[in-house]
Amino acid sequence: MEEPVTAGRARRRPRTTSAILRCAVATVIVLATTQTPARAEEPTPGLGQSIAADQPLATGRAELATGHVDIGPRYVDNQWILLIHDGTQARPVWRDPDETLLRVSDAALQTVPDDPAYAFLGVDAGKRVYVVPQTQNQNVVWLGWNTQDPRVMQTIDRGVTLTLLGVRGPGNLTTYLQSGNFAAPQPLWRSADSTAQPFWAEVNTHTHANWVFTAPGVYLVAVRASADLVNGETVSATRTLRIAVGDTTSADEAFTATADIPEAAGPAPAGEDRAADDEPAGTSTTLLLIALAGAAALLAVGLVLLLLRGRGAKRRAEQERAAAASEGQR
């Protein structure tokens, strides 16, 4: 009687312990590797701006080579669309991306620093690249984004997801944020990556970033702006930005260029995966820590239960041995 009890318990305990350990490890790995969209968490300092509801939609071709420019969603004839907000003149207007050329002149040329922090650019240190800087250079177009159209602010639920769908051009495009000279760069978009690349912009946000182009020429940049509305609906619009990099790049070529940029694989538009796209800044990290703590707690509880079961089995075995001994004495 003694052997079957102890042997049976000895066989079951390692299998149960191993199963719990495997489950906990798998949970930790899944949680640690789960990806969520980047977030442009901080608006650029000193960018106080408000947009009037009656700002007009300009028509006709325009080339913008200097001054303040944003991309952003707006309602036109009750339709959610993605436009260019042109603040280069005294009276700001909205423009159709198909009729607007953003010129990145040779004044934007900078040298890639010899610093491993910028390895994500995929460019050798010392090479010259075209940079639209996060801090305004008066000789270069200043490109950012906003979620400040009055109707947009009234109707969206907390923010907008801006997604890079693809880029056609002679080189690579990288967009990143950097807070101060000593903070680590925060890459948002990299044309070298083939997946869709979303980031989250809060409502009433006005932000500028660094845009790095590795070669002169015409770039077509497909961008999607999507959002969940307070009424439960989801809206989405995709447009293509036309960017001429370098003084000698032809404006006519840029306006007539076409590219069938395929829908990149990756996260769905807002509304289809709200848990991933619609979290406030910091929520993902908090949830990850909570989940990891929960997995650790489950593991601890499982081990305690196993220990208690082992002690119970030991007590029963001792009782059975005592009973057997008593029977033998009789």
Side-chain angles (χ1 to χ4, degrees):
M1 178 177 289
E2 181 177 326
E3 286 301 320
V5 173
T6 55
R9 294 293 176 183
R11 283 194 297 269
R12 283 194 294 271
R13 191 189 310 172
R15 286 201 298 270
T16 306
T17 304
S18 177
I20 292 176
L21 286 172
R22 286 198 300 270
C23 181
V25 170
T27 301
V28 170
I29 292 174
V30 169
L31 291 170
T33 57
T34 299
Q35 295 183 349
T36 56
R39 284 166 175 79
E41 299 175 359
E42 298 287 338
T44 306
L47 288 183
Q49 171 179 270
S50 62
I51 296 177
D54 60 352
Q55 286 184 355
L57 178 61
T59 58
R61 287 184 174 181
E63 180 176 332
L64 309 178
T66 59
H68 182 193
V69 178
D70 295 330
I71 58 174
R74 192 193 185 198
Y75 282 93
V76 175
D77 297 330
N78 293 321
Q79 295 294 317
W80 169 277
I81 60 176
L82 182 61
L83 295 175
I84 292 176
H85 186 249
D86 177 6
T88 63
Q89 306 297 323
R91 185 189 182 196
V93 297
W94 292 90
R95 295 189 181 275
D96 185 333
D98 288 339
E99 298 183 333
T100 307
L101 177 62
L102 304 175
R103 169 76 64 177
V104 180
S105 68
D106 289 350
L109 281 167
Q110 295 187 28
T111 301
V112 176
D114 187 8
D115 185 336
Y118 295 93
F120 67 92
L121 294 175
V123 181
D124 293 337
K127 182 179 178 180
R128 300 271 280 173
V129 293
Y130 293 81
V131 180
V132 175
Q134 183 171 332
T135 301
Q136 186 174 18
N137 176 347
Q138 297 294 337
N139 298 316
V140 178
V141 67
W142 194 31
L143 180 58
W145 57 86
N146 75 67
T147 56
Q148 295 180 306
D149 174 73
R151 186 171 173 187
V152 166
M153 291 195 294
Q154 292 170 4
T155 58
I156 62 175
D157 183 11
R158 293 188 289 173
V160 174
T161 298
L162 293 172
T163 303
L164 177 68
L165 299 179
V167 177
R168 289 290 184 270
N172 290 331
L173 162 65
T174 301
T175 303
Y176 70 94
L177 292 170
Q178 188 168 19
S179 300
N181 294 328
F182 301 103
Q186 177 193 353
L188 298 177
W189 289 344
R190 296 181 71 248
S191 67
D193 296 339
S194 59
T195 57
Q197 298 165 64
F199 70 83
W200 172 260
E202 296 284 347
V203 66
N204 196 24
T205 291
H206 177 208
T207 305
H208 284 255
N210 302 284
W211 303 67
V212 180
F213 301 86
T214 60
V218 175
Y219 290 75
L220 300 179
V221 182
V223 179
R224 180 176 62 206
S226 52
D228 292 327
L229 306 183
V230 292
N231 64 5
E233 296 179 3
T234 297
V235 289
S236 182
T238 299
R239 301 302 297 273
T240 299
L241 307 179
R242 298 177 179 274
I243 304 175
V245 177
D247 289 347
T248 61
T249 299
S250 168
D252 290 337
E253 179 186 351
F255 275 118
T256 58
T258 59
D260 182 16
I261 299 177
E263 185 79 6
E272 296 181 20
D273 188 4
R274 183 164 181 161
D277 288 343
D278 198 34
E279 296 169 346
T283 299
S284 298
T285 302
T286 302
L287 291 176
L288 177 60
L289 293 175
I290 292 173
L292 291 174
L298 287 174
L299 178 59
V301 170
L303 293 176
V304 169
L305 289 175
L306 286 174
L307 179 61
L308 293 176
R309 289 176 60 186
R311 290 178 176 176
K314 183 177 180 180
R315 285 196 299 271
R316 286 193 295 273
E318 291 174 349
Q319 291 170 357
E320 290 170 357
R321 284 196 295 269
S326 177
E327 289 291 335
Q329 291 175 358
R330 293 178 185 176

